[in-house]
Amino acid sequence: MQHTTDIKEKLAERAGRQKEVPVQTLPRDTGQQKEEAIRLLRADEIECRISTINVYGLRLLLYKDARVDQKILDEMFTPFGWQRTHQEIDGKLYCTVSVWDDTRKQWISKQDVGTASYSDKEKGQASDSFKRACFNWGIGRELYTAPDIWVPAAHIHIREHKDKKRHYTTTDRFSVHSISYNERREVSALTVIDQDGRIVFQMGDGPKASQPEDTDPYLVLLHQELERTGIPLKSVLERYGIQDISQMTPDTYNKALNGLMKTKTKGAA
């Protein structure tokens, strides 16, 4: 009987030791670790889009395209470590971007909905929902901290639309020359240039873009007409109540140029 009691006590003691073993928690989500490590966008991966334009200037927005998202996903998770799927819910197209978590042996997914494109509705929704889902993974999220990018008319070529009154357009193109971030992954310095390399917007102490010689085709045409007619630039500026040619609005420029083109060449009979 004593022997049986001893065995029961030993079994109970062993069971107690097993209960005291601390429970091992699962390691951190691999997908979450990689989201924190997703790098910030470089200047050459950011594009500029005109959001509004009027006679006084234009406003730019910074954005990334789907090719940048694909490149960074490949870079961070390898081409075999992520996947995208699309599904339609209540007439709206959703994209799910999934990343393989090798620790848990499962896919970790993040989803978002897209908006229609004017040119290609289905393709536009697919691309937009993919880009939004990638934002959820942290790709390009720093663009939300970009400053208000206003470019005054004096720095660009704005013309009134010939078929629509008070509608303005430009053929200028813009790109990010340099961008810097602080420790909170926020934009701290930004330089935007036009197609000729001229700085049109600058914030912070980022690298300076080299300024090329002034070869503005609009100003060249204006100076050619001034030389042809023999009218001094000062007279034109005084007529429109401005002191410098950089203060010319698109309307003022068009009026001045039209007036000069109707004027006879100097010395002509």
Side-chain angles (χ1 to χ4, degrees):
M1 179 67 70
Q2 181 65 37
H3 179 68
T4 302
T5 302
D6 292 342
I7 293 176
K8 289 182 178 179
E9 289 177 351
K10 288 181 179 180
L11 289 173
E13 182 181 356
R14 183 179 300 174
R17 285 199 301 267
Q18 290 177 344
K19 291 180 181 179
E20 291 172 1
V21 175
V23 177
Q24 293 184 350
T25 58
L26 288 171
R28 289 182 64 196
D29 183 346
T30 301
Q32 181 181 354
Q33 291 176 330
K34 294 223 173 183
E35 179 186 354
E36 294 173 353
I38 286 176
R39 67 170 175 79
L40 299 164
L41 296 178
R42 299 192 303 265
D44 63 326
E45 295 171 327
I46 303 171
E47 297 190 34
C48 299
R49 179 175 61 205
I50 298 173
S51 63
T52 58
I53 182 171
N54 57 43
V55 69
Y56 302 108
L58 57 82
R59 180 166 280 106
L60 296 174
L61 292 178
L62 304 183
Y63 72 101
K64 60 180 176 64
D65 63 21
R67 288 170 294 184
V68 170
D69 290 316
Q70 293 169 353
K71 181 178 70 173
I72 293 180
L73 286 170
D74 286 348
E75 182 182 306
M76 297 302 302
F77 306 109
T78 78
F80 305 100
W82 68 276
Q83 63 180 5
R84 63 185 281 190
T85 56
H86 292 271
Q87 63 181 134
E88 188 173 319
I89 303 175
D90 295 332
K92 297 180 179 180
L93 192 63
Y94 286 76
C95 177
T96 301
V97 174
S98 304
V99 171
W100 178 252
D101 185 337
D102 199 46
T103 301
R104 296 190 176 189
K105 305 300 181 185
Q106 67 181 38
W107 292 97
I108 307 298
S109 302
K110 299 194 177 185
Q111 185 184 71
D112 213 325
V113 66
T115 56
S117 168
Y118 289 107
S119 57
D120 191 329
K121 182 177 180 180
E122 186 174 348
K123 183 178 178 181
Q125 286 191 50
S127 177
D128 189 60
S129 61
F130 173 63
K131 289 184 289 185
R132 288 172 180 265
C134 289
F135 262 121
N136 290 340
W137 273 108
I139 301 177
R141 196 177 294 169
E142 60 274 15
L143 296 183
Y144 286 127
T145 70
D148 179 33
I149 306 174
W150 173 257
V151 184
H155 297 165
I156 47 182
H157 310 127
I158 296 179
R159 309 193 79 166
E160 188 173 17
H161 199 290
K162 60 182 180 180
D163 298 325
K164 296 180 180 179
K165 204 71 173 172
R166 296 185 180 178
H167 283 71
Y168 299 90
T169 184
T170 181
T171 57
D172 287 357
R173 303 180 307 278
F174 307 95
S175 60
V176 176
H177 174 265
S178 63
I179 190 167
S180 302
Y181 308 93
N182 59 25
E183 66 279 0
R184 296 186 299 275
R185 299 171 68 90
E186 299 169 336
V187 177
S188 59
L190 175 67
T191 301
V192 178
I193 59 176
D194 65 10
Q195 68 280 352
D196 297 318
R198 295 185 183 86
I199 297 174
V200 297
F201 178 87
Q202 190 155 42
M203 162 202 168
D205 298 322
K208 310 295 184 185
S210 59
Q211 293 284 57
E213 294 181 3
D214 189 359
T215 56
D216 186 323
Y218 292 89
L219 295 183
V220 168
L221 181 58
L222 184 65
H223 283 296
Q224 286 176 347
E225 287 300 305
L226 289 171
E227 184 177 355
R228 180 185 66 80
T229 59
I231 298 175
L233 175 61
K234 183 179 179 181
S235 298
V236 175
L237 297 178
E238 288 177 348
R239 179 176 181 180
Y240 295 101
I242 55 179
Q243 298 179 345
D244 188 85
I245 196 170
S246 63
Q247 296 175 320
M248 272 192 168
T249 65
D251 282 341
T252 304
Y253 170 84
N254 287 332
K255 289 177 181 178
L257 186 60
N258 289 335
L260 289 169
M261 293 179 73
K262 294 176 181 178
T263 302
K264 294 182 178 180
T265 303
K266 62 180 176 181

